[in-house]
Amino acid sequence: MSDPFIPFESISYTKRFLADCYERQSFANAKTVSYHTSYSFIYHLQQGRLYLQQAAQAPIEIKPMLLFYGIVQMLKACVLTVDPFYPENSTVLAHGVTARKRKKQGYRFLDDEIKVQKNGLFLHFLDKMFHVKQMPDEKYKMNFLLKQVADMHPLYSTMHNQDISIAVTQKSQSYMISDTILDDLHMTANRFSLFLEQSPNSKSWFHRQKGITALKQQITVPLHAAPTRYQSAPWLSTCDGDIYMLRKREDYCSLPELSIHYLLLYNLSMICRYEAEWWGELHHTFEGNDLPFIKQFLTSTTKKLPLLFEHYLFSINER
């Protein structure tokens, strides 16, 4: 379908979909609960889609705001598939992250940080949707977060004349990757296997019994099934489905990709709303490296967010 979310414009389909979600998670009175959550789910999804659609047509100066409001509404819809009682209290209504309020002289976006707060949507959706426990007060640099988006890697190669990732090839029930990744990560084959075992959701995709094999300058990683696109670390996929792996251990992040987009869009939306002078000069002076990375990310996330949400919603009852 050209618009995969169209079925959710039917209340009967949505009730059935949510009832299936709740039954799989052993919620009591799943059909009754789905009756109470279905309209809220539809309205969050509808509003999120509208924001994302408008963002695709909007000028870059206001695009971050529309994209952030869009991801927030879409996430709230997704949370309802795993937490029918959302929001139980006001503490989960805040954004759950914070950025530096005043930008100092010589500010660079790539060096900026964002901090996780104790309460709010961020920690809530990480826990409920992805079963990821994140510590409050954790800080992330924008440059680190951007590296988690595979669609950004070609720009890193161009701007820094260095590949930050290595391509992964999928063949039936395995991933194939050059054994140079072992030198990049300073690991033996056994250590690399352990590294994969400790990756998020590895039980669902890594076939431990078969184990990895290193032969003819290639490493073969056996799979139970292909990792999900919305939570694929250490595998990072582009909008087109190409798969990559980062080459430096310090670049690795266990957060699911939807949360990466959330953090980046929160900061960009705050900047374009409250740092109008810096934001305006960014688009006219062309100084530094911030603008190419911001523009490329906004182009990528506009295309990718609908794909990530589609993949999450339509695979939830298969897990």
Side-chain angles (χ1 to χ4, degrees):
M1 289 183 292
S2 58
D3 185 350
F5 302 107
I6 279 182
F8 294 115
E9 294 182 1
S10 162
I11 190 65
S12 59
Y13 173 85
T14 303
K15 287 178 182 177
R16 189 168 70 249
F17 172 84
L18 290 174
D20 288 343
C21 291
Y22 302 150
E23 286 173 359
R24 280 182 171 272
Q25 298 166 80
S26 302
F27 282 110
N29 304 313
K31 289 186 178 179
T32 302
V33 173
S34 69
Y35 177 84
H36 292 294
T37 58
S38 55
Y39 280 104
S40 180
F41 173 89
I42 288 174
Y43 292 142
H44 282 308
L45 194 65
Q46 185 181 61
Q47 194 170 65
R49 289 166 63 203
L50 282 172
Y51 277 126
L52 295 183
Q53 289 164 4
Q54 291 303 307
Q57 306 171 40
I60 190 172
E61 287 81 2
I62 62 171
K63 195 182 287 282
M65 288 186 293
L66 296 171
L67 287 168
F68 182 68
Y69 292 145
I71 195 174
V72 165
Q73 294 301 325
M74 296 290 280
L75 282 169
K76 288 180 178 179
C78 290
V79 166
L80 284 171
T81 66
V82 290
D83 179 11
F85 309 107
Y86 175 84
E88 282 193 90
N89 54 63
S90 60
T91 62
V92 296
L93 294 176
H95 293 139
V97 290
T98 184
R100 190 180 293 123
K101 294 296 185 291
R102 296 288 299 242
K103 307 305 179 188
K104 298 178 181 178
Q105 189 173 6
Y107 167 81
R108 292 179 71 249
F109 174 76
L110 293 175
D111 293 332
D112 199 5
E113 285 185 334
I114 192 167
K115 185 169 76 170
V116 178
Q117 294 183 313
K118 183 178 180 180
N119 297 307
L121 178 61
F122 184 72
L123 287 184
H124 192 74
F125 81 73
L126 273 182
D127 178 25
K128 297 296 183 179
M129 291 171 58
F130 303 110
H131 311 294
V132 173
K133 299 293 185 181
Q134 177 74 342
M135 294 298 294
D137 298 327
E138 188 76 33
K139 294 180 180 180
Y140 295 100
K141 275 195 174 184
M142 299 300 102
N143 189 43
F144 174 78
L145 294 174
L146 287 169
K147 290 179 180 179
Q148 312 310 313
V149 182
D151 307 85
M152 299 296 300
H153 295 182
L155 182 61
Y156 273 97
S157 298
T158 300
M159 298 289 288
H160 301 311
N161 196 29
Q162 183 180 17
D163 292 330
I164 66 168
S165 62
I166 189 168
V168 179
T169 303
Q170 183 172 6
K171 291 189 177 180
S172 61
Q173 290 297 102
S174 64
Y175 277 168
M176 312 284 288
I177 186 169
S178 169
D179 65 359
T180 58
I181 191 66
L182 298 179
D183 292 331
D184 291 334
L185 298 177
H186 307 291
M187 294 181 182
T188 62
N190 288 337
R191 179 67 186 86
F192 183 66
S193 181
L194 181 60
F195 169 72
L196 294 178
E197 286 185 29
Q198 295 171 342
S199 299
N201 285 341
S202 63
K203 290 181 180 179
S204 66
W205 55 261
F206 185 35
H207 206 309
R208 287 186 180 85
Q209 286 74 18
K210 291 186 177 181
I212 69 166
T213 56
L215 185 65
K216 295 180 180 180
Q217 299 179 317
Q218 276 197 327
I219 294 175
T220 301
V221 180
L223 306 175
H224 283 302
T228 55
R229 292 186 69 174
Y230 54 81
Q231 187 176 21
S232 56
W235 318 109
L236 305 179
S237 61
T238 66
C239 288
D240 297 326
D242 297 324
I243 305 164
Y244 293 88
M245 194 172 189
L246 289 164
R247 297 177 63 181
K248 291 185 178 180
R249 294 172 69 171
E250 60 266 30
D251 288 339
Y252 277 84
C253 178
S254 61
L255 292 177
E257 187 170 351
L258 273 171
S259 66
I260 300 294
H261 290 257
Y262 182 91
L263 293 173
L264 286 162
L265 288 173
Y266 171 82
N267 201 17
L268 285 170
S269 69
M270 293 294 286
I271 290 170
C272 75
R273 276 181 286 176
Y274 302 115
E275 299 292 338
E277 183 177 353
W278 184 88
W279 187 244
E281 289 181 355
L282 174 71
H283 296 283
H284 295 95
T285 62
F286 306 106
E287 292 184 0
N289 292 334
D290 284 344
L291 185 58
F293 283 94
I294 289 173
K295 292 183 76 171
Q296 180 60 36
F297 170 70
L298 291 175
T299 298
S300 169
T301 193
T302 300
K303 296 178 183 177
K304 206 167 193 180
L305 283 179
L307 296 175
L308 292 172
F309 282 116
E310 174 192 352
H311 199 85
Y312 181 86
L313 287 172
F314 288 101
S315 66
I316 188 171
N317 284 330
E318 298 174 5
R319 300 199 291 277

